[in-house]
Amino acid sequence: MASNAPTFSPLYRQIKSLIVQALESGEWRPGEAIPSEQELAARFGVSQGTVRKAVDELAAENVLVRKQGKGTFVVSHHDPRQFFRFLRLVPDDGSLTQPQSVPLDCWRAKAGQEAARVLQIPVGDPIIILRRVLKFSGKPVVLDEIYLPGEVFEGLTLDTLKEWKGSLYSFFETRFGVRMLRAEEHIRAVAADRMAAETLGVKEGTPLLSVERVTYTYNDRPVEWRRGRYLTTQYHYHNELT
Amino acid sequence: MASNAPTFSPLYRQIKSLIVQALESGEWRPGEAIPSEQELAARFGVSQGTVRKAVDELAAENVLVRKQGKGTFVVSHHDPRQFFRFLRLVPDDGSLTQPQSVPLDCWRAKAGQEAARVLQIPVGDPIIILRRVLKFSGKPVVLDEIYLPGEVFEGLTLDTLKEWKGSLYSFFETRFGVRMLRAEEHIRAVAADRMAAETLGVKEGTPLLSVERVTYTYNDRPVEWRRGRYLTTQYHYHNELT
């Protein structure tokens, strides 16, 4: 077993970290199958049951996905089923059209106090700020302002963004190898400021949902901070409590 | 094995339904321990592994909770850890004070089209409507309007509500044997109407979070429909996406 495995945790947790390390290093890429439980058991020198327990947890966390009769795969943002994992806004009428992402602008800046704190980078480090609109059936419904650590997303430009046809997270995955694993959202009601009002085609002061999100990759490392404004007259944020 | 077990589903699922039936009938009550896996295996005539798989799923669904070295218990709304399972509103400053529920009024009505549809009862059936405020540190932050099926909550009055010191769901559990197992919420931003504005001490038109919830008990049976208005200037709705 690798000597850098963390101590004082159950064996399956140590195996889980080793699998995460391999994923993080890009040994198995999004959409690809990982080795069988038997092969992983041999590699790490543990029982298949221990590997299974580690894989169980990674599947529950949506890092891996088991496909019956086919094996275990690295979850990819290209999978259409992943799309609404991070976007909880759905039309009231129940229709399920894939929204279209329209980039508005993209510029470089230095991290201020707040961006530095949220992204866990030093104040003054390069960040990339981008704004985009999400259109549902051609109508603007979401205005997002997105803050990214410049080091991770080096080379991101408005043009490359505009050329991309899929979701933003599939773009991040393909171009920068960044996988979004989990996010925390803070949701409030706010009055539309002028920019949001103009972009979404409503009056200033219209109540909008403010969705502030921090998104994490492997090892709970924050790689995105975004502030969204959602117009919720014909759409709602759907949440399941269990 | 009981003859009324559903067919065409894996054995452990059938055992799961039998456990749910026993829970629903009140054989094991909230907060109480259920029999050991060995005893359940003997009772249902299946292996302990099958019982364990059924209990695993019920634990993942927050119906049962395993306590190390003590056994498996029926989850109760009296458990303080259950409190924020259904209330996702938290103070921005991170303080964790338990809010206080203040009942405002409670009256009887007949289900209209919408309440009947949501609660899956016939139009015209008795319902109970109650309004209450949630105060955080003495300040009103949430106004809830709650629709309940009259048959399930027979005998509920404003006085019995006012006497209760705990949460609404612990009241429902104790007085009516109703356990809330899961909920779906539709969240929007709306402008405060006069009643919400007066209750929450803000100007009419102030943006508020509208949280519409349908809550389900065993067998996905809806037993509550509520419309909440949350003041989110110093509080936010917290959500984790995984």
Side-chain angles (χ1 to χ4, degrees):
Chain A
M1 202 159 113
S3 59
N4 59 345
T7 48
F8 304 122
S9 70
L11 189 55
Y12 83 92
R13 290 263 175 173
Q14 300 178 37
I15 298 308
K16 187 181 164 191
S17 327
L18 293 172
I19 295 174
V20 167
Q21 272 178 33
L23 287 165
E24 203 181 0
S25 74
E27 181 174 345
W28 313 309
R29 306 189 57 80
E32 289 181 4
I34 66 167
S36 71
E37 285 172 6
Q38 203 177 355
E39 289 168 301
L40 290 174
R43 166 168 169 174
F44 298 127
V46 297
S47 76
Q48 248 179 275
T50 301
V51 170
R52 189 169 309 127
K53 212 164 166 187
V55 171
D56 277 346
E57 279 206 2
L58 290 166
E61 290 164 13
N62 281 313
V63 175
L64 298 175
V65 58
R66 285 204 170 93
K67 297 186 185 174
Q68 192 131 33
K70 290 183 182 169
T72 300
F73 292 75
V74 184
V75 168
S76 165
H77 291 294
H78 298 314
D79 184 336
R81 280 165 300 187
Q82 291 298 311
F83 191 83
F84 286 97
R85 182 171 149 204
F86 289 103
L87 179 68
R88 298 296 169 94
L89 196 70
V90 292
D92 291 341
D93 65 13
S95 65
L96 263 186
T97 48
Q98 189 98 340
Q100 180 203 0
S101 177
V102 182
L104 298 181
D105 38 35
C106 172
W107 68 96
R108 279 156 170 71
K110 283 179 197 297
Q113 294 283 353
E114 205 180 355
R117 184 183 54 78
V118 173
L119 294 173
Q120 296 175 20
I121 57 176
V123 172
D125 259 27
I127 58 169
I128 297 167
I129 304 172
L130 69 94
R131 283 190 312 181
R132 66 96 177 251
V133 168
L134 271 185
K135 292 185 175 181
F136 284 72
S137 313
K139 280 186 211 155
V141 178
V142 170
L143 170 63
D144 276 322
E145 191 163 85
I146 301 173
Y147 297 73
L148 302 168
E151 212 176 294
V152 178
F153 293 90
E154 214 184 308
L156 192 157
T157 65
L158 189 59
D159 286 340
T160 56
L161 261 173
K162 281 185 170 168
E163 281 159 21
W164 186 259
K165 296 295 168 224
S167 76
L168 204 54
Y169 284 177
S170 69
F171 175 73
F172 290 170
E173 176 181 300
T174 301
R175 295 296 171 90
F176 305 97
V178 175
R179 292 191 55 214
M180 303 306 194
L181 293 183
R182 68 173 195 91
E184 288 190 16
E185 293 192 330
H186 288 194
I187 304 163
R188 303 166 195 280
V190 300
D193 60 18
R194 201 171 64 182
M195 200 184 65
E198 277 174 11
T199 311
L200 301 175
V202 295
K203 272 197 272 190
E204 238 180 286
T206 299
L208 299 177
L209 216 57
S210 158
V211 180
E212 200 174 317
R213 179 193 300 175
V214 182
T215 321
Y216 299 84
T217 188
Y218 294 111
N219 297 316
D220 265 339
R221 179 174 164 217
V223 279
E224 181 199 44
W225 177 36
R226 63 161 79 183
R227 293 196 280 197
R229 296 287 184 274
Y230 296 10
L231 181 60
T232 55
T233 38
Q234 294 175 276
Y235 299 81
H236 62 267
Y237 184 107
H238 188 97
N239 200 21
E240 312 243 342
L241 313 182
T242 53
Chain B
M1 207 160 114
S3 59
N4 59 345
T7 47
F8 304 121
S9 71
L11 189 55
Y12 83 92
R13 288 263 174 173
Q14 300 178 37
I15 299 307
K16 187 181 165 193
S17 323
L18 292 173
I19 296 174
V20 167
Q21 272 177 33
L23 288 165
E24 204 182 357
S25 74
E27 183 175 344
W28 312 308
R29 306 190 58 80
E32 288 181 5
I34 66 167
S36 70
E37 285 173 5
Q38 203 178 355
E39 289 168 301
L40 290 174
R43 167 168 168 174
F44 297 127
V46 298
S47 76
Q48 248 179 274
T50 302
V51 169
R52 189 170 308 126
K53 212 164 167 189
V55 170
D56 277 346
E57 279 206 4
L58 290 166
E61 292 165 12
N62 281 313
V63 174
L64 298 175
V65 59
R66 286 204 170 92
K67 297 185 185 173
Q68 192 133 32
K70 291 183 183 171
T72 301
F73 292 75
V74 183
V75 168
S76 166
H77 291 294
H78 298 312
D79 185 335
R81 281 166 299 187
Q82 290 298 310
F83 192 83
F84 286 97
R85 180 170 151 206
F86 289 103
L87 179 68
R88 299 296 170 91
L89 196 70
V90 292
D92 291 343
D93 65 14
S95 65
L96 262 188
T97 46
Q98 187 98 341
Q100 180 203 359
S101 176
V102 182
L104 299 180
D105 38 34
C106 173
W107 67 95
R108 278 154 172 75
K110 284 178 198 293
Q113 294 283 352
E114 204 180 355
R117 184 183 54 76
V118 173
L119 294 173
Q120 295 174 22
I121 57 175
V123 172
D125 258 27
I127 58 169
I128 296 166
I129 305 173
L130 68 96
R131 284 191 310 185
R132 67 96 178 251
V133 168
L134 270 187
K135 292 185 174 180
F136 284 72
S137 314
K139 280 187 210 154
V141 178
V142 171
L143 169 62
D144 276 323
E145 190 163 84
I146 302 175
Y147 297 74
L148 303 167
E151 212 177 295
V152 178
F153 293 90
E154 214 184 308
L156 192 158
T157 65
L158 188 60
D159 285 341
T160 55
L161 262 172
K162 281 186 171 168
E163 280 160 23
W164 186 260
K165 296 296 166 225
S167 76
L168 205 53
Y169 284 176
S170 68
F171 176 73
F172 291 170
E173 177 181 300
T174 302
R175 295 296 172 91
F176 305 97
V178 175
R179 292 191 54 213
M180 302 307 196
L181 293 182
R182 69 173 194 90
E184 288 191 15
E185 294 193 330
H186 289 195
I187 305 163
R188 304 165 194 282
V190 299
D193 58 18
R194 201 171 64 180
M195 198 182 67
E198 279 175 10
T199 310
L200 302 174
V202 295
K203 271 198 270 188
E204 241 180 284
T206 300
L208 299 177
L209 216 57
S210 158
V211 180
E212 199 175 317
R213 177 194 299 176
V214 183
T215 321
Y216 298 84
T217 186
Y218 295 112
N219 297 314
D220 264 340
R221 180 175 162 214
V223 279
E224 181 200 44
W225 176 36
R226 63 161 77 184
R227 295 195 279 197
R229 296 286 184 274
Y230 296 10
L231 181 61
T232 55
T233 37
Q234 294 175 277
Y235 299 82
H236 62 268
Y237 183 108
H238 186 96
N239 201 22
E240 312 243 342
L241 312 181
T242 52

